[in-house]
Amino acid sequence: MARLLIIGCGGVAQVAISKCCQNSDVFEEIMIASRTVSKCEAMKEKLQGTTKTVIKTAQIDADDVDALTKLIKDYAPDAVLNVALPYQDLTIMDACLAAGVDYIDTANYEPEDTDDPQWRAIYEKRCKDLGFSAYFDYSWQWAYEDKFKNAGLTALLGTGFDPGVTSVFAAYAKKHYFDEIHTIDILDCNGGDHGYPFATNFNPEINLREVSAPGSYMENGKWVEIPAMSIKREYDFDGVGKKDMYLLHHEEIEALGRNMPEVKRIRFFMTFGQSYLTHMNCLENVGMLSTTPINFNGQEIVPIQFLKALLPDPASLGPRTVGKTNIGCIFTGIKDGKERSIYIYNVCDHQECYKEVGSQAISYTTGVPAMIGAMMVVTGQWKNPGVFTTDEFDPDPYMEALNKWGLPWQVVENPVLVD
């Protein structure tokens, strides 16, 4: 039925590729393209005897718009699924526009070089105007709205779990459970144990930049920024137990705040153990989280990229990670004139994910929604000209697909609220 070009072949991409191959009725053919084509070939060899989906591979530099455009035009897919690095969102969007093809990704744009003067000037103005200082935000991709609309193309942004599924949960709650939503608390709990003293469950470069940044939340339509890790709460998660969680800045707050302006407060919390925080603080204190290049023995290196090379590859954590994740949203508001609160969440088992696709649950919970988002676009269920996040479409077919493709969810009335 559809051909999908998948750019990237890391841990999340490998899950998305595997799930596309399980869904051969929709994805008749895929092409896996990455800078390291040997990884693409390894995935093809692993999967091609187990699926009806035809698998092709290609080498591509996702920073090269001309090369991307040529690849897209030559392959002529129905859509491009970007599961490469967030640094490459804009070049892939440019190529999709040039080639006339729909675009899907899992995380919003952020720059690789945060010292670039042109980017820095725009960033500092945004910090002043909006009041939050995270390096990643949707403004760069929302700026493509008219280009995609005029081209008659769809760009679906952020179809991972958070962002992605959590925003679909919000749309679903608004459609089926509330007349007014007053607060949204997004809770991301990883109760898994990989046995290493320190490792990250997804790209270390992105993960460590995200969690070391100042936290922020939206209240009454305005940003409130706080020092990193300064708001801590404990919550008892189904399937995991009691965990400490910390308020972070996260991209779906920005999108939900724009698209659901009636919501009075939106917050995001993520769980961390003390060992993780101690290691991260030490690395930050000695400059290893810096994105500013330094000269070492005559060679220019970026400290956080060097650290990434030293840490375990997140894609290698699957066989040794045990435990579960619990990710979802707590909503409060009004229904039929009465106060109401619900909790929509998914529990995912690391070892069950590994048995199915050879991945730990963090990659699984991002890769499955990536496939589902691509399916929504190529089947026409989510298809409008312009640039959209996942809360802007009918949530029902996406929610049904979550249950079908490995991320079943549940709704609990009157949950314990986060103060």
Side-chain angles (χ1 to χ4, degrees):
M1 181 180 179
R3 309 173 84 190
L4 183 68
L5 172 59
I6 301 171
I7 299 177
C9 200
V12 170
Q14 290 175 26
V15 174
I17 292 161
S18 297
K19 300 305 282 192
C20 286
C21 289
Q22 291 179 18
N23 193 2
S24 298
D25 289 344
V26 170
F27 299 104
E28 290 180 329
E29 185 177 306
I30 63 172
M31 174 179 280
I32 312 166
S34 175
R35 191 187 303 268
T36 310
V37 74
S38 59
K39 294 172 70 174
C40 307
E41 292 290 349
M43 280 301 293
K44 176 180 178 180
E45 185 175 347
K46 174 184 174 182
L47 293 170
Q48 65 182 353
T50 68
T51 178
K52 294 180 181 178
T53 301
V54 176
I55 305 171
K56 297 184 177 181
T57 64
Q59 193 279 333
I60 191 64
D61 177 358
D63 295 316
D64 186 334
V65 176
D66 290 339
L68 283 165
T69 302
K70 184 178 186 306
L71 177 65
I72 297 168
K73 286 183 174 180
D74 288 348
Y75 183 57
D78 296 285
V80 171
L81 173 59
N82 169 18
V83 274
L85 293 171
Y87 310 148
Q88 296 159 329
D89 287 358
L90 303 186
T91 55
I92 299 174
M93 291 180 80
D94 285 334
C96 284
L97 284 167
V101 174
D102 294 329
Y103 169 88
I104 303 116
D105 70 28
T106 63
N108 65 7
Y109 172 73
E110 63 179 285
E112 184 172 16
D113 180 9
T114 57
D115 293 321
D116 175 71
Q118 184 178 2
W119 175 86
R120 196 86 201 174
I122 297 170
Y123 163 75
E124 289 176 358
K125 183 178 186 302
R126 189 217 70 196
C127 291
K128 182 179 179 180
D129 291 346
L130 298 183
F132 71 97
S133 60
Y135 288 150
F136 53 95
D137 74 293
Y138 276 118
S139 64
W140 296 89
Q141 292 177 278
W142 282 339
Y144 281 69
E145 166 69 20
D146 288 343
K147 293 179 182 179
F148 272 82
K149 185 178 288 186
N150 293 338
L153 298 173
T154 298
L156 178 63
L157 310 182
T159 179
F161 205 108
D162 45 339
V165 174
T166 49
S167 296
V168 176
F169 284 171
Y172 189 79
K174 182 176 181 178
K175 179 177 180 179
H176 295 286
Y177 286 90
F178 292 93
D179 297 322
E180 301 174 17
I181 296 177
H182 292 165
T183 68
I184 303 174
D185 279 336
I186 303 159
L187 310 186
D188 184 328
C189 170
N190 177 21
D193 182 4
H194 46 59
Y196 286 114
F198 184 73
T200 64
N201 291 291
F202 60 97
N203 187 307
E205 201 174 340
I206 304 302
N207 179 230
L208 290 168
R209 283 171 62 164
E210 176 181 281
V211 302
S212 62
S216 59
Y217 60 97
M218 190 167 280
E219 191 163 40
N220 297 320
K222 295 183 178 180
W223 287 100
V224 180
E225 187 164 87
I226 60 170
M229 301 295 181
S230 61
I231 293 182
K232 171 186 172 182
R233 300 288 186 268
E234 183 184 74
Y235 201 82
D236 192 353
F237 291 92
D238 180 24
V240 177
K242 292 182 179 180
K243 291 285 183 181
D244 290 336
M245 61 183 189
Y246 297 81
L247 189 147
L248 304 182
H249 176 86
H250 225 243
E251 52 254 62
E252 63 264 56
I253 300 175
E254 184 182 12
L256 291 171
R258 184 184 79 156
N259 298 330
M260 298 184 182
E262 70 278 9
V263 179
K264 294 182 171 74
R265 190 190 69 208
I266 310 170
R267 302 184 297 184
F268 180 94
F269 292 88
M270 184 177 284
T271 63
F272 296 96
Q274 190 54 51
S275 176
Y276 180 99
L277 296 177
T278 300
H279 279 83
M280 186 189 74
N281 288 335
C282 178
L283 291 167
E284 184 174 27
N285 288 340
V286 299
M288 286 302 295
L289 303 190
S290 172
T291 60
T292 302
I294 64 168
N295 188 282
F296 178 74
N297 288 344
Q299 183 172 348
E300 188 176 86
I301 64 170
V302 176
I304 197 169
Q305 293 179 354
F306 179 70
L307 175 63
K308 175 183 175 180
L310 295 175
L311 292 173
D313 182 349
S316 72
L317 299 178
R320 58 186 294 148
T321 305
V322 296
K324 297 178 180 180
T325 64
N326 180 317
I327 313 174
C329 303
I330 297 175
F331 303 93
T332 67
I334 300 293
K335 179 67 174 178
D336 297 328
K338 297 179 181 179
E339 292 187 357
R340 187 176 204 178
S341 61
I342 66 168
Y343 187 10
I344 309 178
Y345 64 90
N346 161 264
V347 176
C348 198
D349 187 288
H350 284 283
Q351 282 300 296
E352 291 302 315
C353 297
Y354 183 71
K355 289 175 186 175
E356 182 192 342
V357 296
S359 160
Q360 35 87 349
I362 304 301
S363 294
Y364 190 90
T365 55
T366 305
V368 173
M371 180 279 288
I372 292 173
M375 178 174 67
M376 292 296 106
V377 172
V378 301
T379 58
Q381 294 177 87
W382 285 10
K383 186 79 171 76
N384 285 320
V387 177
F388 302 91
T389 48
T390 59
D391 53 289
E392 296 183 86
F393 292 97
D394 180 7
D396 291 355
Y398 196 111
M399 293 289 279
E400 292 169 10
L402 289 170
N403 282 330
K404 180 177 181 179
W405 294 105
L407 293 176
W409 45 271
Q410 53 188 301
V411 180
V412 173
E413 296 270 5
N414 302 312
V416 175
L417 303 181
V418 182
D419 62 18

